[in-house]
Amino acid sequence: PIYYLKSLKNKTEIKNSIISHIYDGAALTKFIFWLKNSFRTKKINEISAQEKLLEFRKKNKSFHDLSFPTISGAGPNSAIIHYKADKKSNRLLRKGDVYLVDSGGQYLYGTTDVTRTLSLDVQNNKIKDIFTRVLKGHIAVASFKLNKNSYGDRIDQSARKFLKDVNLDYPHGTGHGVGYFSNVHEGPQAISKGNKVKFREGMITSNEPGYYKKNHFGIRIENLVYVKKTRDKLKFEDLTLVPIDKTLIEKKLLTSFEKNWLNKYHQKVFNKLKKFMNKFELT
């Protein structure tokens, strides 16, 4: 019985999780600025990139440790879902590749888990088409109309719809429950096939649709969300505050609702993180 009760975060846990995601979002956003402005002139590889990200996180006094070993994959390595770079596989970040980084931090008052797929001057229209379909699935989860009977199996279907329209899919669940300091995987709730646990106020879950073409590229967009209750209505509220790479988006595939969601999300990211950014990062 404790397993289920533990998943229902109280107001203090949610408040502190929000703070931890602001700090973590600032670190990851600064890392993205550094990476985007450095990979053409500096020899950055998968290992040196993840080490640089850890440096940014360590600047926060509340940072305790990583949530899990960072997944830092470029080009074909980004297609390996649970990839871990080592001396043998370590790849340089090259122009034209996608770079996928899945990482998280354990802060003294919260746990983060976020994935961003970044363009290293990608020109491949097929990659952009698929990235946009993954984004559409991500938005479908984030804006899913929750009620007291909503459960993960049904939400999982909405995340896959836009990939399945072109006969594509991904071989993992769309989201797992997340705990509060030290538990990055926590149930019983999940956005996955067969999960019938109903979402309740205070539950935290990841939202991470993706697509992986073996030996070519991988795409994943992951935010953490929590179930918020307002006037007896439930909805998902984003915890993660990190920009989504707009250079990979095929705009014509997005509806006006999806464009509006993306703009609102980025405005929220800007408002929450601007005090941590220098003049160059703000412009």
Side-chain angles (χ1 to χ4, degrees):
I2 294 171
Y3 190 53
Y4 176 78
L5 294 171
K6 192 167 176 282
S7 72
L8 306 173
K9 307 304 175 221
N10 60 42
K11 285 183 169 58
T12 300
E13 288 173 314
I14 292 297
K15 178 184 171 185
N16 288 336
S17 290
I18 289 170
I19 294 169
S20 70
H21 278 83
I22 291 172
Y23 290 154
D24 198 63
L28 192 45
T29 301
K30 283 178 175 289
F31 166 77
I32 292 171
F33 273 112
W34 169 81
L35 186 81
K36 287 272 195 174
N37 289 284
S38 302
F39 81 89
R40 298 177 196 88
T41 56
K42 296 178 181 177
K43 286 192 173 183
I44 301 171
N45 57 46
E46 295 165 341
I47 292 175
S48 66
Q50 70 186 47
E51 287 173 347
K52 187 69 174 180
L53 176 53
L54 181 57
E55 276 181 38
F56 280 115
R57 281 195 167 107
K58 281 183 173 179
K59 289 179 181 179
N60 190 290
K61 292 177 182 176
S62 300
F63 177 77
H64 180 72
D65 203 351
L66 292 173
S67 306
F68 52 91
T70 298
I71 297 169
S72 172
N77 290 339
S78 65
I80 303 168
I81 295 170
H82 295 115
Y83 175 67
K84 190 176 188 306
D86 56 33
K87 287 182 180 178
K88 189 177 178 181
S89 68
N90 193 19
R91 180 180 170 89
L92 276 175
L93 274 58
R94 300 186 181 102
K95 188 175 179 179
D97 281 349
V98 295
Y99 172 65
L100 186 152
V101 57
D102 183 347
S103 66
Q106 298 287 8
Y107 293 80
L108 296 180
Y109 36 70
T111 296
T112 73
D113 181 1
V114 52
T115 307
R116 286 295 179 264
T117 305
L118 304 173
S119 168
L120 305 180
D121 294 341
V122 170
Q123 301 301 319
N124 187 314
N125 289 329
K126 181 68 175 174
I127 290 175
K128 292 181 179 183
D129 180 278
I130 295 171
F131 180 90
T132 308
R133 291 177 185 278
V134 171
L135 175 61
K136 287 168 75 72
H138 181 94
I139 294 171
V141 172
S143 55
F144 192 89
K145 286 184 167 56
L146 291 175
N147 59 48
K148 63 182 181 179
N149 294 313
S150 297
Y151 51 84
D153 181 274
R154 173 67 188 87
I155 303 169
D156 182 81
Q157 293 172 38
S158 67
R160 298 174 192 271
K161 177 187 180 304
F162 306 99
L163 285 169
K164 286 196 169 183
D165 285 346
V166 290
N167 298 313
L168 301 178
D169 201 358
Y170 49 95
H172 58 72
T174 302
H176 57 84
V178 177
Y180 179 84
F181 186 55
S182 83
N183 285 341
V184 75
H185 283 92
E186 180 181 275
Q189 79 281 10
I191 302 174
S192 58
K193 295 173 184 176
N195 190 289
K196 304 290 186 183
V197 176
K198 294 170 185 176
F199 277 97
R200 294 288 180 259
E201 181 183 10
M203 284 182 169
I204 297 174
T205 182
S206 65
N207 169 13
E208 51 180 310
Y211 176 76
Y212 313 90
K213 186 174 182 181
K214 190 176 180 181
N215 298 323
H216 287 82
F217 64 89
I219 293 166
R220 187 159 64 250
I221 305 170
E222 177 186 18
N223 279 9
L224 297 193
V225 297
Y226 74 97
V227 181
K228 184 177 182 180
K229 190 174 185 179
T230 308
R231 298 189 195 91
D232 291 328
K233 288 189 175 181
L234 300 176
K235 70 169 188 172
F236 284 135
E237 185 81 12
D238 276 291
L239 285 166
T240 302
L241 296 166
V242 179
I244 293 166
D245 195 338
K246 292 192 288 186
T247 64
L248 284 169
I249 296 172
E250 196 67 69
K251 289 182 184 177
K252 67 176 184 284
L253 290 178
L254 295 181
T255 65
S256 56
F257 172 84
E258 290 163 342
K259 289 175 185 174
N260 189 43
W261 182 94
L262 190 65
N263 289 335
K264 280 185 175 179
Y265 176 73
H266 279 142
Q267 188 62 54
K268 180 181 177 183
V269 171
F270 179 81
N271 291 341
K272 295 290 186 182
L273 301 186
K274 61 183 178 182
K275 65 182 179 183
F276 301 99
M277 301 296 144
N278 60 37
K279 288 181 181 178
F280 166 73
E281 291 161 344
L282 282 172
T283 55

